[in-house]
Amino acid sequence: LLCLLVLSLAWLGPAWGDSEGSEGSEEDGEVVAEEEDEEDEEDEVLSDELEEEDGVLVLHKYNFPRALREHRLLLVEFYAPWCGHCQRLAPEFARAAVTLRNESEAVRLGKVDATAQADLRAEFGIDAYPTLKLFRDGNRTHPVAYTGRMDAEGIVRWMQRRAGPSATLLQDADTAAAFVGAQDRAVVGFFKDLRGEAAQAFYEVAGELVDMVFGVAEADELFEAYGLSADTVCLFKKATPSTHWLVLWQFDEGRTDFPVDPARGLDVAELTRLLRVHSLELVMEFSNETSSQIFDAKIPHHMLLFLNKSAAEQLALRDDFRTAASAFRGEVLFVVVDVNGYGDTVLPFFGLKPDDAPTLRFIKMENNRKYQMDEDAFSATAVRSFVQAVLDGKVKPQLLSAEPPEDWDTRPVKVLVGKTFEQVAFDETKNVFVKFYAPWCSHCKEMAPAWEELGERYKDHEDIVIAEMDATANELENITINGYPTLHYFPAGPGRKMVEYRSARDVETFSKFLENGGKLPEEPEEPPVVSKVP
C-alpha cells in the first residue's frame, strides 16, 4: 500500500503543477537556467582586472575591491549612460584622470555605470547622476562626497589638495613673508597648538577651498611679527594694479583677520563662507572664470549692472557702482555683466536684450526674485538707497511674463504665462494639472510626449485642465520653481490649494492621479504634500 501511495503521489505531482500552469513552470526553469548561465558567463568575463578607458578605471563589483587596495585616493563617478550631465562631464573627467595618473599612481579616477551595477548603486546610496565619491586608503564604508568644480582643472585641484598637505608649515618670518608675497591671495592660520581642534578645523577648510593657498604657523616669532596674541586666521590680498577692464586695483584690503573665538572655537562652515566672501573683489565681472566664485560664495543677494563695455559712457557707470558696493560687503555681491560678452548667456533669465543696457537688477538668490531699479539714476547714492530699500522690503519684485500665444486655450495642453496663470490655475470649477518646465531641460524634453498624450486624453473633460508653463520666461509671486520639470496639481474648489506631484512620469500614472482626485490609489496612508498659495 505504501508503494502504491508513493507511486500515486509521483504521478499526481505534475498534475498539481499543471493547475498552476506547467508551461509557466517550464519557462521559469528555462529563465533560471539562462540566468545562471548568464551569471557564469559574467563571472568569466568580469574579473578583478583593472581596465582603463581614456585614463579612467572602469569599475564594477568584481574589481572594485582591488581598485581600493591599489590606489590610496580613488575618486569614483557613478553615472548613467543616458544622463546628459554625465555625458558633458565625461571629457573633463577623462582629462583630469590622465593628469592625475601621470603625476602619481596612488591618485586615480574611476567610473561605475550605476544602471548596470545595482549592488554598488545600492551600497553607496546613489540616487542622482552623476554622483562623485572619494575613497581614501581603501576605506569602503565612509566615502567623502565630492565638493569641487565639475571641470578638469577643478577636479585636479581638489584631488591634489587631498593628496598632499592642505596647508604649508611656515617656520619663520622670512618663510612666511615669502609665502604671502608670492600669492595674490593667501590664507595663514596662526595657532598656538597645531594639534588642537581649531587647527584641525583650519586644515579641513584648506582641503575644501582649493582655489586658495593655505599656510599654518605656531612659532612665537610669527605671532609677534604679525601683531597677534591669540589664534587667528589671516587672509592676505595683494593690492596690485589690475589689467582687467573692470577695476583699476585687484583688491581693496591688504589683510583681513578672523580671530578664533575661545569659547566656540573655529566653525568650519562659517570660516569657509567668510574666506569665500572676502577673497572676492568688491565688484566682480561675470565670466566663465568667475562664475563658480560668484555662486560658491553663497552671498544671499546680488546687485547686477548690465552694460556694454565697448561703450565708454557705459563703462563710466562702474565707478559709482563700485562706490555703492562697499557698504554691503558680505550681504550683497555687486556684479558687472557685459551684455555682449559672456554675460549674454544670462540675459534671457532676466528678460533682457543687449539693447536694454545699461540697466540695473537686484536678485534674491534664495527664490530668484528680481527687482528693477529706475534707469535714470545710476549714482552711488541712488544705488545704495535702492539696495537698502529692497533689503527692507519696500520694493516689489519684477515678475517676468511672456505674451500668451493666440491659441493658448484651444490646444490639448493649455499654454500658461505669468499673466494668465492665476485665472486658470485657481479656477474653482476646474482641476488643473500644470507642468513647469525649462526649454533646455533634457528631462522635460523626455517627458514632453507623455504630457501631450495626457492633454489629448483629457481635452474633452469639462473639469480637468492639462497645462504647462515655461518657468524660465514666467514668474509667479507666491510659487517658486526650484527644479525642472516640476508638476503641481491645483484642485477645484475654494482655498487656493496646491498638491505637488512626486510619482512616476508616465501617462498611466498621471491618469490614475487625476482620476483619484490628486492622489495615487496605491500611495501609503500619509497624505500628499498640500499647501495653500497666498
Side-chain angles (χ1 to χ4, degrees):
L1 285 173
L2 183 60
C3 290
L4 286 171
L5 180 61
V6 170
L7 288 170
S8 299
L9 287 171
W11 177 75
L12 286 170
W16 292 339
D18 283 346
S19 68
E20 297 292 324
S22 61
E23 212 172 296
S25 297
E26 288 174 8
E27 287 179 359
D28 289 344
E30 289 172 5
V31 170
V32 170
E34 286 175 5
E35 287 175 353
E36 289 174 354
D37 289 345
E38 286 175 4
E39 286 176 5
D40 292 340
E41 188 177 323
E42 188 179 38
D43 286 337
E44 291 173 11
V45 174
L46 297 177
S47 67
D48 70 344
E49 290 298 318
L50 294 174
E51 296 183 356
E52 290 186 19
E53 190 175 282
D54 298 326
V56 180
L57 298 175
V58 180
L59 304 176
H60 44 74
K61 68 178 181 179
Y62 298 98
N63 65 6
F64 202 85
R66 179 174 175 178
L68 293 180
R69 286 195 309 271
E70 294 188 2
H71 305 292
R72 185 172 68 84
L73 290 177
L74 180 65
L75 181 65
V76 179
E77 176 201 1
F78 295 86
Y79 72 96
W82 45 259
C83 167
H85 300 297
C86 303
Q87 292 165 9
R88 285 189 290 275
L89 176 62
E92 298 291 329
F93 200 69
R95 278 196 289 274
V98 172
T99 300
L100 291 167
R101 181 193 61 187
N102 293 341
E103 290 180 357
S104 169
E105 268 298 317
V107 181
R108 295 299 304 270
L109 304 189
K111 62 181 180 180
V112 171
D113 179 352
T115 64
Q117 298 296 318
D119 292 345
L120 294 178
R121 182 178 71 240
E123 179 181 356
F124 300 115
I126 306 302
D127 56 8
Y129 305 110
T131 295
L132 278 63
K133 291 182 180 289
L134 174 66
F135 296 83
R136 183 189 291 273
D137 298 322
N139 187 326
R140 185 170 182 147
T141 57
H142 293 88
V144 176
Y146 178 78
T147 56
R149 297 191 337 232
M150 288 297 204
D151 59 41
E153 184 183 3
I155 293 169
V156 169
R157 285 186 181 180
W158 197 85
M159 291 294 286
Q160 287 173 336
R161 186 61 62 88
R162 279 149 185 78
S166 58
T168 302
L169 178 61
L170 307 176
Q171 303 279 9
D172 52 45
D174 290 340
T175 306
F179 177 81
V180 170
Q183 315 293 334
D184 288 335
R185 296 174 301 174
V187 183
V188 180
F190 295 85
F191 301 101
K192 297 291 187 180
D193 179 10
L194 291 182
R195 291 161 295 284
E197 290 184 5
Q200 297 308 308
F202 179 80
Y203 286 126
E204 188 176 339
V205 173
E208 284 299 318
L209 299 181
V210 297
D211 291 327
M212 303 181 203
V213 293
F214 287 75
V216 288
E218 66 174 345
D220 291 338
E221 69 168 286
L222 287 172
F223 275 81
E224 185 178 347
Y226 288 90
L228 302 171
S229 59
D231 289 0
T232 305
V233 175
C234 298
L235 170 62
F236 297 91
K237 294 181 286 185
K238 188 187 296 182
T240 56
S242 175
T243 58
H244 200 278
W245 64 271
L246 180 61
V247 291
L248 297 176
W249 291 87
Q250 190 165 359
F251 293 114
D252 309 276
E253 311 140 330
R255 167 178 158 182
T256 307
D257 291 358
F258 307 101
V260 177
D261 188 313
R264 294 175 54 244
L266 191 62
D267 184 273
V268 171
E270 179 64 9
L271 179 60
T272 300
R273 188 189 71 81
L274 287 171
L275 289 175
R276 278 178 169 153
V277 167
H278 286 273
S279 67
L280 296 175
E281 298 167 19
L282 185 59
V283 177
M284 299 289 292
E285 183 202 3
F286 182 68
S287 67
N288 186 40
E289 292 74 26
T290 63
S291 60
S292 61
Q293 298 175 47
I294 289 170
F295 296 115
D296 288 347
K298 301 292 189 290
I299 296 177
H301 314 297
H302 292 177
M303 182 64 179
L304 310 175
L305 170 60
F306 293 87
L307 55 75
N308 180 352
K309 74 175 186 180
S310 61
E313 68 278 6
Q314 293 190 27
L315 270 182
L317 300 174
R318 64 185 181 174
D319 296 329
D320 277 336
F321 191 66
R322 183 180 183 78
T323 302
S326 59
F328 301 97
R329 166 78 88 171
E331 186 177 16
V332 181
L333 179 60
F334 280 60
V335 183
V336 171
V337 181
D338 178 17
V339 295
N340 288 328
Y342 184 78
D344 69 352
T345 59
V346 299
L347 293 181
F349 179 69
F350 290 90
L352 295 173
K353 303 182 294 297
D355 292 343
D356 293 322
T359 187
L360 292 155
R361 293 293 185 277
F362 183 104
I363 180 170
K364 293 184 176 180
M365 300 303 292
E366 63 176 357
N367 55 17
N368 286 338
R369 289 286 176 266
K370 306 173 187 71
Y371 302 80
Q372 180 176 354
M373 181 178 164
D374 294 335
E375 271 72 23
D376 306 357
F378 286 90
S379 69
T381 302
V383 173
R384 268 197 304 266
S385 299
F386 172 76
V387 171
Q388 193 59 57
V390 175
L391 295 175
D392 294 340
K394 297 177 180 178
V395 182
K396 286 189 175 182
Q398 175 199 32
L399 299 175
L400 297 179
S401 177
E403 291 299 321
E406 290 185 4
D407 60 344
W408 71 270
D409 59 345
T410 61
R411 305 177 186 180
V413 175
K414 313 305 178 193
V415 180
L416 305 185
V417 296
K419 298 175 181 178
T420 60
F421 182 84
E422 286 274 326
Q423 71 185 67
V424 177
F426 296 111
D427 183 340
E428 295 185 1
T429 67
K430 309 287 186 185
N431 297 292
V432 185
F433 202 10
V434 183
K435 175 184 74 173
F436 298 88
Y437 72 96
W440 43 258
C441 167
S442 58
H443 301 296
C444 301
K445 292 174 182 176
E446 290 170 10
M447 202 189 89
W451 202 249
E452 288 296 328
E453 185 178 340
L454 187 71
E456 286 287 346
R457 183 175 294 190
Y458 286 95
K459 65 182 180 181
D460 297 324
H461 284 61
E462 288 293 324
D463 61 342
I464 292 179
V465 175
I466 308 301
E468 65 182 11
M469 190 175 89
D470 178 355
T472 66
N474 300 277
E475 296 171 328
L476 305 171
E477 186 170 358
N478 297 303
I479 300 174
T480 301
I481 305 301
N482 295 314
Y484 307 108
T486 291
L487 306 178
H488 285 315
Y489 174 76
F490 301 85
R496 296 172 65 88
K497 293 179 181 176
M498 179 175 75
V499 179
E500 183 178 357
Y501 179 87
R502 295 180 174 179
S503 192
R505 296 170 180 171
D506 61 80
V507 177
E508 296 308 319
T509 311
F510 289 150
S511 294
K512 290 177 184 177
F513 178 80
L514 290 170
E515 299 294 342
N516 205 47
K519 180 182 176 183
L520 289 171
E522 61 269 28
E523 284 185 333
E525 289 299 316
E526 61 178 285
V529 179
V530 180
S531 59
K532 277 197 173 184
V533 179

Short mmCIF file of all heavy atoms in Angstrom, two decimals, residues 187 191 196-206 208-209 214 231-233 258-276:
data_model
loop_
_atom_site.label_atom_id
_atom_site.label_comp_id
_atom_site.label_asym_id
_atom_site.label_seq_id
_atom_site.Cartn_x
_atom_site.Cartn_y
_atom_site.Cartn_z
N VAL A 187 46.02 82.46 2.68
CA VAL A 187 45.38 82.33 3.97
C VAL A 187 46.38 81.68 4.92
O VAL A 187 46.91 80.61 4.62
CB VAL A 187 44.10 81.47 3.88
CG1 VAL A 187 43.40 81.41 5.24
CG2 VAL A 187 43.16 82.01 2.82
N PHE A 191 48.22 79.41 15.02
CA PHE A 191 47.68 78.62 16.12
C PHE A 191 48.78 78.30 17.14
O PHE A 191 49.90 77.94 16.76
CB PHE A 191 47.08 77.30 15.59
CG PHE A 191 45.98 77.50 14.60
CD1 PHE A 191 46.22 77.37 13.23
CD2 PHE A 191 44.70 77.85 15.00
CE1 PHE A 191 45.22 77.57 12.30
CE2 PHE A 191 43.68 78.05 14.07
CZ PHE A 191 43.94 77.90 12.72
N GLY A 196 45.67 71.11 18.00
CA GLY A 196 44.40 71.42 18.65
C GLY A 196 43.23 71.39 17.69
O GLY A 196 43.38 71.28 16.46
N GLU A 197 42.02 71.51 18.25
CA GLU A 197 40.78 71.42 17.45
C GLU A 197 40.68 72.55 16.42
O GLU A 197 40.22 72.34 15.30
CB GLU A 197 39.56 71.44 18.37
CG GLU A 197 39.41 70.18 19.22
CD GLU A 197 38.14 70.20 20.04
OE1 GLU A 197 37.34 71.14 19.88
OE2 GLU A 197 37.94 69.27 20.85
N ALA A 198 41.10 73.76 16.81
CA ALA A 198 40.98 74.88 15.89
C ALA A 198 41.86 74.67 14.66
O ALA A 198 41.43 74.92 13.52
CB ALA A 198 41.36 76.19 16.60
N ALA A 199 43.08 74.19 14.87
CA ALA A 199 43.99 73.94 13.75
C ALA A 199 43.45 72.84 12.85
O ALA A 199 43.54 72.93 11.62
CB ALA A 199 45.38 73.58 14.26
N GLN A 200 42.87 71.80 13.45
CA GLN A 200 42.32 70.71 12.65
C GLN A 200 41.14 71.19 11.79
O GLN A 200 40.98 70.77 10.65
CB GLN A 200 41.89 69.55 13.56
CG GLN A 200 43.03 68.91 14.34
CD GLN A 200 44.19 68.50 13.44
OE1 GLN A 200 44.00 67.80 12.44
NE2 GLN A 200 45.39 68.93 13.80
N ALA A 201 40.33 72.08 12.37
CA ALA A 201 39.23 72.65 11.60
C ALA A 201 39.77 73.49 10.44
O ALA A 201 39.21 73.49 9.33
CB ALA A 201 38.34 73.51 12.50
N PHE A 202 40.87 74.20 10.68
CA PHE A 202 41.51 75.00 9.64
C PHE A 202 41.99 74.12 8.49
O PHE A 202 41.81 74.45 7.32
CB PHE A 202 42.68 75.78 10.24
CG PHE A 202 43.42 76.64 9.25
CD1 PHE A 202 42.92 77.87 8.87
CD2 PHE A 202 44.63 76.22 8.70
CE1 PHE A 202 43.61 78.67 7.95
CE2 PHE A 202 45.32 77.00 7.80
CZ PHE A 202 44.80 78.23 7.42
N TYR A 203 42.60 72.98 8.82
CA TYR A 203 43.06 72.04 7.79
C TYR A 203 41.87 71.56 6.94
O TYR A 203 41.99 71.35 5.74
CB TYR A 203 43.76 70.84 8.42
CG TYR A 203 45.15 71.14 8.93
CD1 TYR A 203 45.50 70.84 10.25
CD2 TYR A 203 46.13 71.70 8.11
CE1 TYR A 203 46.78 71.11 10.74
CE2 TYR A 203 47.41 71.96 8.59
CZ TYR A 203 47.72 71.67 9.90
OH TYR A 203 48.98 71.94 10.37
N GLU A 204 40.72 71.37 7.60
CA GLU A 204 39.53 70.91 6.88
C GLU A 204 39.06 71.97 5.88
O GLU A 204 38.71 71.67 4.74
CB GLU A 204 38.41 70.59 7.88
CG GLU A 204 37.20 69.94 7.24
CD GLU A 204 36.15 69.54 8.27
OE1 GLU A 204 36.50 69.38 9.46
OE2 GLU A 204 34.98 69.39 7.87
N VAL A 205 39.09 73.23 6.31
CA VAL A 205 38.71 74.32 5.40
C VAL A 205 39.70 74.39 4.24
O VAL A 205 39.30 74.57 3.08
CB VAL A 205 38.69 75.66 6.17
CG1 VAL A 205 38.48 76.84 5.20
CG2 VAL A 205 37.59 75.66 7.23
N ALA A 206 40.98 74.23 4.53
CA ALA A 206 42.01 74.28 3.49
C ALA A 206 41.81 73.19 2.45
O ALA A 206 42.10 73.38 1.26
CB ALA A 206 43.40 74.15 4.12
N GLU A 208 38.98 72.14 1.40
CA GLU A 208 37.82 72.46 0.56
C GLU A 208 38.09 73.60 -0.41
O GLU A 208 37.68 73.56 -1.56
CB GLU A 208 36.62 72.83 1.46
CG GLU A 208 35.96 71.64 2.12
CD GLU A 208 35.40 70.66 1.11
OE1 GLU A 208 34.79 71.10 0.11
OE2 GLU A 208 35.58 69.46 1.30
N LEU A 209 38.76 74.64 0.07
CA LEU A 209 38.95 75.83 -0.76
C LEU A 209 40.21 75.69 -1.60
O LEU A 209 41.26 76.26 -1.29
CB LEU A 209 39.01 77.07 0.14
CG LEU A 209 37.75 77.35 0.97
CD1 LEU A 209 37.91 78.61 1.80
CD2 LEU A 209 36.52 77.46 0.07
N PHE A 214 47.07 77.86 1.44
CA PHE A 214 46.96 77.94 2.89
C PHE A 214 48.31 77.66 3.54
O PHE A 214 49.05 76.76 3.09
CB PHE A 214 45.94 76.93 3.41
CG PHE A 214 44.51 77.32 3.13
CD1 PHE A 214 43.98 77.18 1.86
CD2 PHE A 214 43.70 77.82 4.14
CE1 PHE A 214 42.66 77.53 1.59
CE2 PHE A 214 42.39 78.19 3.88
CZ PHE A 214 41.86 78.04 2.61
N ASP A 231 45.00 82.74 18.72
CA ASP A 231 44.73 82.03 17.47
C ASP A 231 43.91 82.91 16.52
O ASP A 231 42.85 83.43 16.89
CB ASP A 231 43.95 80.74 17.75
CG ASP A 231 44.82 79.69 18.43
OD1 ASP A 231 46.00 79.97 18.69
OD2 ASP A 231 44.31 78.58 18.71
N THR A 232 44.42 83.06 15.30
CA THR A 232 43.77 83.93 14.31
C THR A 232 44.02 83.39 12.91
O THR A 232 45.10 82.87 12.62
CB THR A 232 44.34 85.37 14.38
OG1 THR A 232 44.21 85.86 15.72
CG2 THR A 232 43.61 86.31 13.43
N VAL A 233 43.01 83.53 12.05
CA VAL A 233 43.17 83.21 10.64
C VAL A 233 43.26 84.53 9.88
O VAL A 233 42.41 85.42 10.06
CB VAL A 233 41.99 82.37 10.11
CG1 VAL A 233 42.12 82.15 8.60
CG2 VAL A 233 41.92 81.03 10.84
N PHE A 258 40.47 87.04 11.06
CA PHE A 258 39.32 86.34 11.61
C PHE A 258 39.77 85.66 12.91
O PHE A 258 40.24 84.52 12.90
CB PHE A 258 38.79 85.29 10.63
CG PHE A 258 38.50 85.85 9.25
CD1 PHE A 258 39.40 85.65 8.21
CD2 PHE A 258 37.35 86.59 9.01
CE1 PHE A 258 39.15 86.17 6.95
CE2 PHE A 258 37.10 87.11 7.75
CZ PHE A 258 38.00 86.90 6.72
N PRO A 259 39.65 86.35 14.05
CA PRO A 259 40.07 85.77 15.32
C PRO A 259 39.25 84.53 15.67
O PRO A 259 38.04 84.47 15.39
CB PRO A 259 39.83 86.90 16.33
CG PRO A 259 39.72 88.15 15.51
CD PRO A 259 39.13 87.72 14.20
N VAL A 260 39.89 83.54 16.28
CA VAL A 260 39.20 82.33 16.72
C VAL A 260 38.53 82.61 18.06
O VAL A 260 39.20 83.05 19.00
CB VAL A 260 40.18 81.15 16.83
CG1 VAL A 260 39.45 79.91 17.35
CG2 VAL A 260 40.83 80.87 15.48
N ASP A 261 37.24 82.36 18.14
CA ASP A 261 36.51 82.56 19.39
C ASP A 261 36.95 81.51 20.41
O ASP A 261 36.80 80.30 20.15
CB ASP A 261 35.00 82.42 19.13
CG ASP A 261 34.16 82.81 20.33
OD1 ASP A 261 34.48 82.36 21.44
OD2 ASP A 261 33.18 83.56 20.15
N PRO A 262 37.50 81.91 21.57
CA PRO A 262 37.99 80.93 22.55
C PRO A 262 36.91 79.98 23.05
O PRO A 262 37.19 78.83 23.37
CB PRO A 262 38.51 81.81 23.70
CG PRO A 262 38.73 83.15 23.09
CD PRO A 262 37.71 83.29 22.01
N ALA A 263 35.66 80.47 23.11
CA ALA A 263 34.57 79.64 23.62
C ALA A 263 34.00 78.73 22.54
O ALA A 263 33.80 77.53 22.77
CB ALA A 263 33.46 80.53 24.21
N ARG A 264 33.74 79.27 21.36
CA ARG A 264 33.10 78.50 20.29
C ARG A 264 34.09 77.73 19.43
O ARG A 264 33.72 76.79 18.73
CB ARG A 264 32.28 79.43 19.40
CG ARG A 264 31.08 80.06 20.09
CD ARG A 264 30.38 81.08 19.20
NE ARG A 264 30.01 80.50 17.92
CZ ARG A 264 30.49 80.90 16.76
NH1 ARG A 264 31.40 81.87 16.72
NH2 ARG A 264 30.10 80.34 15.64
N GLY A 265 35.35 78.16 19.43
CA GLY A 265 36.31 77.51 18.56
C GLY A 265 36.20 78.02 17.14
O GLY A 265 35.64 79.08 16.88
N LEU A 266 36.68 77.22 16.21
CA LEU A 266 36.67 77.60 14.79
C LEU A 266 35.59 76.80 14.07
O LEU A 266 35.65 75.58 13.98
CB LEU A 266 38.04 77.31 14.17
CG LEU A 266 38.30 77.88 12.78
CD1 LEU A 266 38.23 79.40 12.80
CD2 LEU A 266 39.67 77.44 12.28
N ASP A 267 34.59 77.52 13.57
CA ASP A 267 33.49 76.88 12.85
C ASP A 267 33.87 76.73 11.38
O ASP A 267 34.12 77.73 10.70
CB ASP A 267 32.22 77.70 12.99
CG ASP A 267 31.02 77.04 12.34
OD1 ASP A 267 30.81 77.25 11.13
OD2 ASP A 267 30.31 76.29 13.03
N VAL A 268 33.90 75.50 10.90
CA VAL A 268 34.36 75.22 9.53
C VAL A 268 33.48 75.92 8.49
O VAL A 268 33.97 76.60 7.58
CB VAL A 268 34.39 73.71 9.27
CG1 VAL A 268 34.64 73.41 7.79
CG2 VAL A 268 35.47 73.04 10.12
N ALA A 269 32.17 75.80 8.62
CA ALA A 269 31.25 76.37 7.64
C ALA A 269 31.35 77.90 7.63
O ALA A 269 31.37 78.52 6.56
CB ALA A 269 29.82 75.94 7.92
N GLU A 270 31.44 78.49 8.81
CA GLU A 270 31.49 79.95 8.88
C GLU A 270 32.79 80.50 8.32
O GLU A 270 32.80 81.49 7.58
CB GLU A 270 31.31 80.40 10.34
CG GLU A 270 31.37 81.90 10.56
CD GLU A 270 30.24 82.66 9.86
OE1 GLU A 270 29.30 82.03 9.34
OE2 GLU A 270 30.31 83.91 9.85
N LEU A 271 33.92 79.86 8.66
CA LEU A 271 35.20 80.32 8.13
C LEU A 271 35.25 80.15 6.61
O LEU A 271 35.74 81.02 5.89
CB LEU A 271 36.37 79.56 8.78
CG LEU A 271 37.76 79.96 8.26
CD1 LEU A 271 38.03 81.44 8.51
CD2 LEU A 271 38.84 79.10 8.91
N THR A 272 34.71 79.05 6.11
CA THR A 272 34.66 78.82 4.67
C THR A 272 33.88 79.95 3.98
O THR A 272 34.32 80.50 2.96
CB THR A 272 34.00 77.47 4.36
OG1 THR A 272 34.75 76.42 4.97
CG2 THR A 272 33.92 77.22 2.87
N ARG A 273 32.74 80.30 4.56
CA ARG A 273 31.92 81.37 3.97
C ARG A 273 32.66 82.71 4.00
O ARG A 273 32.68 83.45 3.01
CB ARG A 273 30.59 81.49 4.73
CG ARG A 273 29.59 82.44 4.09
CD ARG A 273 28.40 82.69 5.00
NE ARG A 273 28.77 83.50 6.15
CZ ARG A 273 28.90 84.83 6.12
NH1 ARG A 273 28.69 85.50 4.99
NH2 ARG A 273 29.22 85.50 7.21
N LEU A 274 33.27 83.03 5.14
CA LEU A 274 33.96 84.31 5.28
C LEU A 274 35.12 84.43 4.29
O LEU A 274 35.33 85.48 3.68
CB LEU A 274 34.46 84.48 6.71
CG LEU A 274 33.38 84.77 7.76
CD1 LEU A 274 33.97 84.70 9.17
CD2 LEU A 274 32.72 86.12 7.53
N LEU A 275 35.88 83.35 4.15
CA LEU A 275 37.02 83.39 3.23
C LEU A 275 36.55 83.54 1.79
O LEU A 275 37.16 84.27 1.00
CB LEU A 275 37.87 82.13 3.40
CG LEU A 275 38.68 82.03 4.70
CD1 LEU A 275 39.39 80.69 4.78
CD2 LEU A 275 39.69 83.18 4.80
N ARG A 276 35.47 82.88 1.45
CA ARG A 276 34.94 83.00 0.09
C ARG A 276 34.47 84.43 -0.17
O ARG A 276 34.71 85.00 -1.24
CB ARG A 276 33.78 82.01 -0.11
CG ARG A 276 34.25 80.61 -0.45
CD ARG A 276 33.09 79.66 -0.60
NE ARG A 276 33.53 78.38 -1.16
CZ ARG A 276 32.93 77.23 -0.95
NH1 ARG A 276 31.86 77.17 -0.17
NH2 ARG A 276 33.37 76.12 -1.50
#
